[in-house]
Amino acid sequence: DQQVKQNSPSLSVQEGRISILNCDYTNSMFDYFLWYKKYPAEGPTFLISISSIKDKNEDGRFTVFLNKSAKHLSLHIVPSQPGDSAVYFCAASGDTGGFKTIFGAGTRLFVKA
Amino acid sequence: DVKVTQSSRYLVKRTGEKVFLECVQDMDHENMFWYRQDPGLGLRLIYFSYDVKMKEKGDIPEGYSVSREKKERFSLILESASTNQTSMYLCASSFQRTLLRTQYFGPGTRLLVL
């Protein structure tokens, strides 16, 4: 039972354009959402997060949008750069029993120069 | 800067061997976690710990055990390694306070069981 789903295994975008990575969740108890970025041979690093009391959070080129009614969040990267090429994991946590964090399967982003 | 280190980057073991993976964090975090990452499956939680001597099963604990004797150190043990335990193993840590849920990850250990 996948509580956090990233349905696109990969995404290819031209440098300078917008990258949109999507994530869906099923558990309405989730109240905090995070995006992590992972380069090959490295551990994931925290990128941006959003609390369920907000619908948008922005940090430089990265913006996360949350649509609670649709149980959907998205990460926008504008403008995309070749260095953004990595695997992006969506994650969710909440009072589901210990505040564990549940991760999606990841989306591999390719930004072409 | 938060630092989470893992004892090995690459490890090759034989079926049936006992394997120890060690993780150390230097930020005085209460929580520590062990995940495995497999293609198409994302990060799956094996075990986690909220405090010294405490451990909780994650989603896939079978075939694994853990030890947390000191706050900064969390060890993952494969009692008898099997080929289906070939994977990337990631350790993470975080503060216990519920509002601070960002986890900090180590570089990972890629384990190959032959």
Side-chain angles (χ1 to χ4, degrees):
Chain A
D1 177 28
Q2 279 188 301
Q3 297 187 64
V4 178
K5 295 180 186 177
Q6 294 178 257
N7 292 316
S8 299
S10 66
L11 175 68
S12 186
V13 170
Q14 200 67 37
E15 181 180 8
R17 299 288 183 99
I18 185 171
S19 295
I20 300 175
L21 292 87
N22 294 302
C23 178
D24 297 296
Y25 63 95
T26 58
N27 194 329
S28 56
M29 296 300 289
F30 290 143
D31 62 357
Y32 196 71
F33 304 88
L34 310 96
W35 285 93
Y36 288 83
K37 177 179 178 179
K38 185 181 184 300
Y39 291 117
E42 294 182 13
T45 54
F46 169 73
L47 187 59
I48 193 169
S49 62
I50 187 166
S51 163
S52 60
I53 61 172
K54 295 186 174 182
D55 54 19
K56 177 182 173 182
N57 188 26
E58 196 170 347
D59 183 2
R61 296 185 298 113
F62 303 91
T63 303
V64 56
F65 295 92
L66 175 63
N67 182 333
K68 281 186 294 184
S69 61
K71 293 193 177 70
H72 176 83
L73 63 153
S74 60
L75 174 68
H76 292 211
I77 307 173
V78 184
S80 302
Q81 300 173 352
D84 297 329
S85 296
V87 177
Y88 290 79
F89 290 101
C90 171
S93 73
D95 194 4
T96 57
F99 287 94
K100 287 189 299 185
T101 299
I102 309 297
F103 287 81
T107 295
R108 184 177 296 276
L109 174 65
F110 299 92
V111 180
K112 297 175 288 187
Chain B
D1 250 8
V2 177
K3 196 157 186 188
V4 180
T5 56
Q6 295 184 227
S7 50
S8 306
R9 295 300 301 270
Y10 301 94
L11 216 48
V12 180
K13 295 291 180 181
R14 297 223 172 260
T15 302
E17 278 192 81
K18 192 168 186 175
V19 182
F20 293 88
L21 302 181
E22 296 223 313
C23 174
V24 178
Q25 50 93 6
D26 66 358
M27 277 302 293
D28 203 34
H29 285 165
E30 295 87 359
N31 300 338
M32 295 189 76
F33 308 83
W34 275 106
Y35 294 90
R36 62 179 281 178
Q37 182 198 355
D38 299 289
L41 297 176
L43 277 66
R44 293 181 294 166
L45 183 63
I46 305 171
Y47 266 97
F48 59 104
S49 169
Y50 287 138
D51 201 352
V52 176
K53 306 272 189 192
M54 291 183 64
K55 59 185 179 185
E56 298 275 350
K57 290 180 180 179
D59 300 317
I60 51 164
E62 297 79 18
Y64 303 94
S65 62
V66 290
S67 171
R68 191 152 180 215
E69 297 296 319
K70 293 185 178 181
K71 190 175 185 180
E72 68 271 16
R73 190 179 296 269
F74 192 33
S75 301
L76 179 70
I77 303 148
L78 286 66
E79 296 290 341
S80 177
S82 63
T83 54
N84 63 11
Q85 292 178 309
T86 290
S87 186
M88 167 71 87
Y89 289 88
L90 292 159
C91 174
S93 68
S94 72
F95 285 113
Q96 194 163 73
R97 285 162 275 170
T98 57
L99 292 179
L100 297 174
R101 302 185 215 172
T102 302
Q103 293 184 20
Y104 297 87
F105 285 84
T109 296
R110 188 166 288 284
L111 172 67
L112 173 62
V113 182
L114 299 173

